[in-house]
Each structure stands twice: as C-alpha cells, then as structure tokens.
Amino acid sequence: MAIPAGPTIDAVLDLATTAYAALTELGEEIEDEWSYVQDLTEAWRGRFEEVRASRGDEVVGPEVVVAIDAAVGEIARISDPHRAIDWLSTFPQVTLLALGERP
C-alpha cells in the first residue's frame, strides 16, 4: 500500500496500522507470548490514535513518507514470529519519531 501524494498523518498512520496488524498476527504464532503481544499491540495502537486525534489532518513531508515506507518495507520482510515480537515495540517508535512525536 503506497502513501498518496500530499499525505496526512492520518494516511501515514493508516499504512502503519495495517503493517502493524500483519506484524501482530505473525507474533501471535508464539502461543507463550500471546498476552504480551496483545498488551504491546493495544498500547502502541492507542499511542497511534492519540497522534491521529491531535494531528491527523497535518500534511507530512516527503522525508516522513520515505521513513515510514522504509520501516514498513523492513517489517514486511520479517518471517520469524520471534523477530516480529521484537519489532512490535520498535516499529511504532520508528513511526512516531518520523512524525516528530515522542514514542
């Protein structure tokens, strides 16, 4: 999924949320970590929604699009559920930093 021209934070977060859902699904394959995965997912999705609520209509620059696209591309290559779990914390932080937000 590509980010449209003149993208808003809302559009970027849509892409990030979709990619994050796939990462979550992969991490859920580790049965012993299911609760941990759910807790992480809930916390970071909540943080994304805080940003969306306060800044969703703001247009982002091309450097933000490049950064988010690169991060999404990186997590799309993950096939190991354990590595996916590692990225459940990393990916949202990268996304938020690219948007100029605190993680």
Side-chain angles (χ1 to χ4, degrees):
M1 172 189 241
I3 299 172
T8 62
I9 287 177
D10 190 50
V12 170
L13 286 175
D14 282 346
L15 176 65
T17 301
T18 299
Y20 196 66
L23 194 63
T24 298
E25 188 174 311
L26 183 58
E28 287 174 338
E29 291 181 15
I30 307 299
E31 191 173 311
D32 292 345
E33 298 293 341
W34 192 88
S35 293
Y36 177 67
V37 167
Q38 297 309 306
D39 291 345
L40 277 177
T41 301
E42 183 179 328
W44 288 114
R45 283 186 181 155
R47 182 67 183 108
F48 280 178
E49 290 309 311
E50 288 174 9
V51 174
R52 186 187 307 270
S54 66
R55 298 181 53 212
D57 293 338
E58 289 180 31
V59 175
V60 298
E63 69 282 357
V64 173
V65 174
V66 168
I68 302 295
D69 274 340
V72 167
E74 192 64 31
I75 66 169
R77 289 189 278 281
I78 296 171
S79 59
D80 176 1
H82 291 95
R83 188 158 180 244
I85 291 170
D86 292 341
W87 273 83
L88 286 172
S89 291
T90 305
F91 175 72
Q93 292 181 59
V94 169
T95 300
L96 292 166
L97 288 171
L99 294 171
E101 288 286 329
R102 66 163 178 78

